[in-house]
Amino acid sequence: MTVLEIKPLTTAQLNAAVDLDQVCFGGLWTRSGYERELNSPNSQLLVLEAKNSLNQQPFGCNSAVVMPQNPLAEGLPNALVGLGCYWSILEEAHITILAVHPNYQNQGLGQFLLYALLKDAKQRQLEWATLEVKPSNHAALSLYQKFDFIPAGRRRGYYQDTGEDALILWRKGLQQPEFEQTLQKRYEQIVSRLTRQGWQLFSYL
């Protein structure tokens, strides 16, 4: 059975995180950069780890859905398939990274990562979330819209690789009841979708 576990990045996973960064971004952060993030009290790094397991029952998980093995992960060792990070700045969660390995995209893993980052930010009593995204990244824009992010500005020529501007997106009201309802609704949709894709979910949240 294939397990998808979301949890904070550990020191033992630093090399795997750098490898995933290289695949997704071409080397956005170095290993020392990830070490700094890991050691910063204002940074939260979460990873999605795919595990092949027959009977593992990770300790402390809040949710589990039994499902058949995911064909994409069949035969693979434990591997990081997703990575997310945000910085806690006063009352703001500034999302800096949201990445899913290309072999695992279009399954709902990005939604699971974003859900986990926002839920963690809510638990830390942060009030709003922000991020930058390329206007041409329609898949990412669609994802953020699902969580009610709205445009708040633009950074001219922000992306050096393409010269594109960055859209600044903003999501307020993380401590409001409607946000908890949005999280719950999205979580149910995520579980349903990932179940159909063949994952067993575990979360530290």
Side-chain angles (χ1 to χ4, degrees):
M1 180 174 292
T2 302
V3 172
L4 183 67
E5 185 174 5
I6 191 163
K7 59 186 180 181
L9 179 72
T10 65
T11 302
Q13 295 170 315
L14 278 171
N15 288 338
V18 174
D19 290 344
L20 182 60
D21 182 300
Q22 183 67 41
V23 170
C24 294
F25 302 119
L28 182 64
W29 288 355
T30 63
R31 191 181 195 281
S32 61
Y34 276 100
E35 287 176 337
R36 286 193 298 270
E37 296 297 316
L38 194 60
N39 293 326
S40 171
N42 297 320
S43 182
Q44 177 64 298
L45 275 164
L46 300 179
V47 295
L48 284 173
E49 186 175 27
K51 300 180 177 182
N52 285 326
S53 171
L54 293 176
N55 297 306
Q56 283 187 354
Q57 295 293 328
F59 176 78
C61 55
N62 290 344
S63 58
V65 182
V66 177
M67 59 191 71
Q69 186 165 352
N70 186 311
L72 284 178
E74 186 173 2
L76 295 178
N78 295 356
L80 295 192
V81 296
L83 175 69
C85 178
Y86 77 83
W87 296 336
S88 175
I89 306 171
L90 298 178
E91 296 178 328
E92 174 185 311
H94 185 91
I95 298 173
T96 55
I97 283 184
L98 189 71
V100 174
H101 192 286
N103 290 348
Y104 293 83
Q105 292 176 2
N106 302 314
Q107 295 189 62
L109 274 65
Q111 287 191 52
F112 192 26
L113 262 175
L114 183 57
Y115 161 82
L117 290 172
L118 292 173
K119 185 173 180 64
D120 190 270
K122 181 180 186 299
Q123 291 174 341
R124 292 193 183 200
Q125 301 301 309
L126 301 181
E127 296 287 345
W128 61 84
T130 63
L131 55 90
E132 290 92 13
V133 63
K134 289 180 178 179
S136 62
N137 192 342
H138 301 296
L141 288 169
S142 177
L143 168 61
Y144 299 134
Q145 288 168 0
K146 287 181 172 66
F147 289 85
D148 299 324
F149 279 83
I150 61 173
R154 184 180 288 261
R155 301 189 195 280
R156 300 293 179 184
Y158 183 80
Y159 293 102
Q160 296 181 0
D161 58 339
T162 62
E164 282 185 85
D165 297 346
L167 288 179
I168 303 170
L169 302 185
W170 184 54
R171 210 308 180 182
K172 66 177 181 178
L174 302 193
Q175 299 304 317
Q176 299 302 313
E178 62 85 15
F179 181 68
E180 180 63 35
Q181 294 169 4
T182 296
L183 281 183
Q184 183 60 34
K185 177 181 178 181
R186 294 303 174 204
Y187 178 73
E188 291 170 359
Q189 293 171 345
I190 290 164
V191 169
S192 177
R193 183 177 180 184
L194 290 177
T195 298
R196 294 194 302 271
Q197 297 290 343
W199 293 104
Q200 178 178 355
L201 306 184
F202 288 94
S203 173
Y204 89 102
L205 296 171

